[in-house]
Amino acid sequence: MDIKNSRAFVTGANRGLGRRFTAELLARGAAKVYAGARDPGTVDLPGVVPVRLDVTDPASVAEAAAAAPDVTLLINNAGISTHTRLTDGDMANVRLEMETHYFGTLEVTRAFAPKLAANGGAILNVLSVLSWVHYPDYGAYSAAKAAAWAMTNVIRQELAPSGVAVTALHVGYLDTDMAHYVDPADKTDPAVVAAAALDGVQAGIPEVLADERSRNAKTGLSGGLELMYPHVFTPAGE
């Protein structure tokens, strides 16, 4: 799809990658950008339409979709990271991660899908390198993003007959508040990632691997668990 003159809705648009998406859409000539946030007063980019949206609240999702009937591009970006382990972490956090990344993304997608089909549109789902490789300190996040990847692959097939294209974005650490604790050398500029993702949407690419970490992880899926988690598995014969 053509980003210029598109009418986009970005979830979690008030900070981090979402804010970068919003800015990039405006720079590329989007006709309208709806900026979804739990507190629309925190949206500070001029030229956008702030919309109250809590992706974990179905009523809020329905209201947001009703407020944006002309959307042609949906960017499911809203997310959290609670750093919760699965076997001994707070179950409330585990459920919150799944409610946000999986059920929230699906709820928003279901609300906007008819509009996108009618208007001729596309969806971009922000996933993660942790959709493919999973570690204890990111247990809840990894499980939710893996579920979101599976969901993305399914809705791509379900929506194809209606002409709605679906792109998945995979990326590692970004230079945002969510990864404030990470060495800057290990983080990617979110502006670069937003640009690459929108290039992928424009080209109709099903998956955008925005950094080397994601490309390596995707390749590693064919290498077996022993290669992906060598600290767990003892090589045969030892």
Side-chain angles (χ1 to χ4, degrees):
M1 70 168 297
D2 189 5
I3 300 299
K4 185 176 182 181
N5 297 320
S6 65
R7 297 175 298 280
F9 194 111
V10 183
T11 71
N14 56 320
R15 64 188 184 91
L17 182 59
R19 191 177 188 278
R20 293 294 186 176
F21 272 126
T22 303
E24 185 68 16
L25 286 162
L26 292 172
R28 294 190 184 206
K32 185 184 293 185
V33 180
Y34 296 96
R38 281 177 292 181
D39 179 2
T42 60
V43 176
D44 61 358
L45 280 174
V48 304
V49 181
V51 178
R52 192 186 80 82
L53 173 63
D54 178 352
V55 300
T56 68
D57 178 358
S60 174
V61 172
E63 291 173 4
D70 56 345
V71 163
T72 60
L73 173 60
L74 170 64
I75 299 181
N76 283 310
N77 164 80
I80 58 168
S81 180
T82 63
H83 299 271
T84 301
R85 294 165 59 93
L86 292 180
T87 56
D88 54 10
D90 187 339
M91 275 300 295
N93 283 341
V94 177
R95 293 181 187 279
L96 178 60
E97 295 258 15
M98 194 65 73
E99 287 288 346
T100 302
H101 297 291
Y102 178 73
F103 289 110
T105 297
L106 181 57
E107 188 84 42
V108 173
T109 298
R110 288 166 63 100
F112 278 92
K115 305 173 190 302
L116 295 169
N119 299 333
I123 297 172
L124 172 65
N125 283 349
V126 177
L127 302 179
S128 171
V129 65
L130 294 178
S131 304
W132 296 325
V133 60
H134 315 121
Y135 298 109
D137 288 343
Y138 299 91
Y141 186 92
S142 295
K145 285 297 190 182
W149 179 45
M151 178 262 291
T152 300
N153 289 334
V154 172
I155 65 170
R156 183 182 296 114
Q157 298 169 73
E158 291 187 354
L159 296 180
S162 65
V164 177
V166 178
T167 297
L169 169 65
H170 294 270
V171 65
Y173 294 120
L174 294 172
D175 191 9
T176 63
D177 291 345
M178 189 177 288
H180 63 88
Y181 57 93
V182 178
D183 186 328
D186 292 332
K187 296 189 285 191
T188 304
D189 183 348
V192 172
V193 172
L198 291 179
D199 286 345
V201 171
Q202 177 123 358
I205 296 172
E207 283 192 331
V208 175
L209 311 185
D211 59 2
E212 192 65 24
R213 193 183 298 268
S214 295
R215 290 186 286 272
N216 289 341
K218 183 68 179 291
T219 301
L221 290 176
S222 62
L225 293 177
E226 293 84 354
L227 292 179
M228 295 182 70
Y229 308 103
H231 57 292
V232 174
F233 293 94
T234 301
E238 292 189 7

